[in-house]
Amino acid sequence: MLLIMFYIAAIIAVVSTGAVIFSRNPVYSVIYLIISLFAVAMVFYTLGAPFLAMAEIIIYAGAIMVLFLFVVMMLNLGQNRKDEDLQAASAKALVLPLTFTTILAMLTVLALAGAIPAPHAVGTSSAALGKALFDKHFLGVKLAAFILLVGSIGGMHLGRASSTPDTKETRI
Amino acid sequence: MTDNGVPALWLVPALPAAGALIIFLFSKFWNPRVAGRIACSAVGLSFLWVLVCSYMLITWPGEAPRFTQKLWTWLDAGTITADVGFLFDQVTLVFTLVVTGVGFIIHLYSVAYMRGDDGERRFFGYMNLFVAAMLVLVMADNAFFMFLGWEGVGCCSFFLIGHFYQKQENCAAATKAFLVTRLGDIFLLLGVLLCAKLAGVSFLDLSGFEKVAGMDSVPQAFGASGPLLLTIAGLLLLGGAMGKSAQLPLQTWLPDAMAGPTPVSALIHAATMVTAGVYLIARFHVLYVMAPVALAAVAMVGVGTAFYAATCALVQTDIKRILAYSTISQIGYMILGLGVGAFSLGLFHFFTHAFYKALLFLAAGTVIHALHGEQNIYKMGGLKASLRGTYLVFLCGAAALAGLPLTAGFFSKDAILWYSLSTKYGNPALFALGMVTALLTAIYTFRLIFVVFHGTERSHHHVHEPEPLLVKPLAVLAFFALFAGFLNLPHFVPVLSAKWEHFLEPVFGHYHAHPAGYGGKAGEALAALLSTVVSLAGLFIAWKLYHPGAAVVPVPAMEIGESETSTPAPYKASLANWLYRGWDFDRAYDAAFVRPFRRLSGMSSWVDRVIIDGVFELSAAIVRGVHSLLLAFQNGRLSRYALVMLFGALAGTIILFFGRGW
Amino acid sequence: MFPANEALILSAILFSLGVIAFIVRRNLLYTLMSVEIMLNAAGLAFVAGSAIHGQPDGQVFFMFILPVAAAEVAIGLALALLIFKRCKTLDLWAIARIKEE
């Protein structure tokens, strides 16, 4: 049952991610990405990480992607202008990246194939996760807090500068 | 006052320092006149405080009194410690009295002299700072703290010589003064450091030098022998004195330093700063007595400089340059006095010289002021009538300088000459050269008088009456120029004889040399007679050569507006021109140091441009080549970068796999 | 039994898709989105690793990836807005051309 759920979620994730790449309308792309993230959250669930599944939906899909949507709306990028940003129109441009990534992905899978032990049967409870997070990795939590602080300060500063586009500050 | 009744010595330099601080910080909010008043009152208060200290020192009970005051420890570097501390003994008393007393009169004079100058506040600020630094120099209780004052006065001298900085020559003169004295300062610093190694830097106890003199091998200085080290130290300190006191061969800066305002010349380049070398040698008298070679060098430098500068003064045409050369010459006498072991007499000549030379400079300043800046004596003439008061005080100063009998200069110079003959360090050659110099001194002094004040008026300017402040303070100096000599009458005089020597005995003690042989008091009387004759002969010769009717010496050919430096040869006789240029020392230095240095710097510039820059340019070219190669990837397209990164990741993964034997 | 190996393969595929998006799209917004895809794929690999080893540390690392992604988006989007204000476009090639001029 879990396996079937996993496969359905995985297929949805891959397809919607592909749609993100090849969609011409940025709004659609963002929506597809949200779908993809929901699917990945499902995958998390099947991997025995329900807390992360929730976090994925709330933070990634709920906060980050909405921010993207916001910007897309704000810049009025809704209707795509004549093919300027979809280079994929020429199949030639896809050749090299596709080859490289395929080889890379295959190599990775190949490398992991023999080396991976059988998965554990028991999932990780939220309690265990919280304990690990605030006990063993507490320093990392603080660093993450700093990153968020820096991110918010940087966003505020850039946003302030953007309100006066012709001052020197914006000409970085 | 401090606990044990010693007066607060630090107040003496602190008052002018505070004056300078106030002037620099606040005077721009006030009328420029206020700066002068602050400066005068700061120095005046300092003078009063010195009087209090002096009175207390003289009336202090007990043998060999002296005041010391340690404020805090300044340096504490292993074996060497130096305090911020003050020493007030008889030598310090003489110097501080002159610095603040004469300084006060010169400050008063400056108030009138500098009126209306753009840099009036700056001028008074630096003057006060100078006085503070000079007081630190003479009051410091150790050589390092003294060095601080030593550099301070050099710095202020630089600023004040360049006071009229709008003119290029003045800046050049300031730079020259600074660099030449700086050269001496390096010797001084080396000497002080060597002394610090040998016997410590404190002036409170100099007996360490005596101990060193007795050692065959000094452990703290590579085991060299004591007398040798003391000789080296003495010569190094003499080098410092040469620079600051404009002695041969570092004398070339002082005549050029006359570019500064005249009060500066009077205070710094006649009365006080240039005598720092005299103070230095007097302070280190123990060292010099222990190193007779160095002492002999001091005497020779002194008498040589005295003679040299007197010959140069004979032919100068700029009134201030004449006085500058005469200053060099007179300091030569002081150094000669120190060099024959008559330390107190060197100081006595400093004392009298400070009065009459400051007087001469200030009076010359009044003349220049009255003639709207004219300094060429051949364009003055006949000022006796129009500048009566100035003429009188100038005459007093000139009499003292020429050593006319019973003036201050007569007694101090005569005593030095007598000691240069009769002490164990003296010899007839020093005496003879000193006498010849005395003759020359009388000649050039009265040449100045006759050309400037007598005869017909040659000035094209209207001579305006100087204001009282430019003449009245000079009367005080004139009084001392005439009568200060009575502080130290020769031994053969029954009353008041050798008072000064006795006064300074607590400091110099048995290190002071005493006359021996040559007939004792009778010989001394004869020498005094000889020097009377010599000075009167000089007066007579000057009259013969330069009196208004005489046309023996041709007037030098100088066009109007030509400056001293732009006319290297105003005379017909080449000897006169050679003397005029100060024995061509400047040219010799130019040839010996400046031009080779230029050539050297030209060569190093070539090395720098071609070889060193070449190396860097080559590496830059390599980098540029690599860069242009890499530029192909840097096209600003993010996707291209990502592709390259992807390729790199792929390559890395493959290498990893094959590295693991897959 | 968790499908952890399959999840690893899925994460490889998603990551490859992110890389391709990063390379082929010239729009700055898409570039940022593809970075999100790649970060998410990496997080998926961590979670799979956590499932394989039965340890919570992999999940903890996903918790660290979350703030990194959030901060990156916050600053990246602010910069994108600024660039759009200056250059009137988000086309990276056009921006590169503007820079050269």
Side-chain angles (χ1 to χ4, degrees), chain A residues 2-3 6-7 10 13-14 17-18 20-26 29-30 33 36-37 40 43-44 46-49 51-52 55-56 59-60 64-65 67-68 71-72 74-75 77 81 83-88 93-94 97-98 101-102 104-105 108-109 112 116-124 128-129 132-133 136-137 140-141 144 147-148 150-151 154-155 158-159 161-163 165 170-172, chain C residues 1-86 88-94 97:
Chain A
L2 217 57
L3 208 63
F6 171 81
Y7 277 120
V14 172
T17 307
V20 169
I21 301 171
F22 298 109
S23 160
R24 287 177 176 249
N25 190 328
S29 291
V30 174
L33 188 49
S36 157
L37 291 172
V40 173
V43 170
F44 284 173
T46 63
L47 287 174
F51 180 79
L52 290 191
E56 173 96 354
I59 296 173
Y60 251 118
I64 297 178
M65 291 325 292
L67 203 60
F68 265 104
V71 173
V72 171
M74 210 165 117
L75 299 184
L77 296 176
R81 268 160 289 170
D83 199 29
E84 75 173 14
D85 50 0
L86 187 58
Q87 203 191 346
L94 263 175
L98 259 183
T101 41
T102 313
L104 196 58
T108 314
V109 171
L112 295 175
I116 297 173
H120 270 252
V122 190
T124 311
L129 173 62
L133 196 58
K136 193 174 168 190
H137 298 284
V141 174
I147 288 172
L148 281 176
V150 169
L158 291 170
S162 76
S163 63
T170 56
R171 303 175 190 279
I172 306 162
Chain C
M1 195 65 138
F2 300 118
N5 288 335
E6 293 83 347
L8 278 177
I9 293 167
L10 175 65
S11 94
I13 293 169
L14 286 181
F15 192 86
S16 304
L17 284 172
V19 170
I20 288 167
F22 193 90
I23 291 170
V24 301
R25 298 302 299 235
R26 284 158 51 183
N27 191 311
L28 184 56
L29 271 181
Y30 277 90
T31 312
L32 286 173
M33 272 196 271
S34 53
V35 170
E36 291 302 313
I37 295 171
M38 286 189 275
L39 277 172
N40 198 38
L44 178 56
F46 269 118
V47 175
S50 166
I52 288 167
H53 295 285
Q55 299 287 332
D57 302 69
Q59 300 193 15
V60 167
F61 272 90
F62 184 75
M63 295 297 287
F64 292 153
I65 288 173
L66 274 180
V68 170
E72 178 251 321
V73 164
I75 293 180
L77 284 178
L79 283 173
L81 280 175
L82 281 181
I83 287 172
F84 189 76
K85 281 218 161 114
R86 276 193 62 192
K88 306 283 175 261
T89 178
L90 283 178
D91 184 353
L92 286 169
W93 290 22
R97 271 201 303 280

Side-chain angles (χ1 to χ4, degrees), chain B residues 32-33 113-123 163-164:
Chain B
R33 316 290 322 143
Y113 192 85
M114 297 305 287
R115 182 169 298 153
D117 187 84
D118 290 337
E120 209 176 335
R121 303 181 179 101
R122 181 162 50 94
F123 174 85
H163 181 77
F164 303 120

Side-chain angles (χ1 to χ4, degrees), chain B residues 348-407:
Chain B
F348 187 52
H349 197 55
F350 151 75
F351 184 71
T352 58
H353 171 258
F355 293 112
Y356 64 72
K357 190 50 64 63
L359 167 63
L360 286 172
F361 263 116
L362 295 184
T366 309
V367 170
I368 294 167
H369 205 258
L371 293 178
H372 308 275
E374 181 57 66
Q375 300 197 2
N376 188 337
I377 56 169
Y378 288 103
K379 294 185 185 141
M380 297 175 175
L383 299 174
K384 191 170 63 168
S386 44
L387 296 171
R388 186 105 208 129
T390 313
Y391 172 64
L392 284 177
V393 290
F394 201 95
L395 206 56
C396 296
L401 173 60
L404 290 191
L406 304 184
T407 59

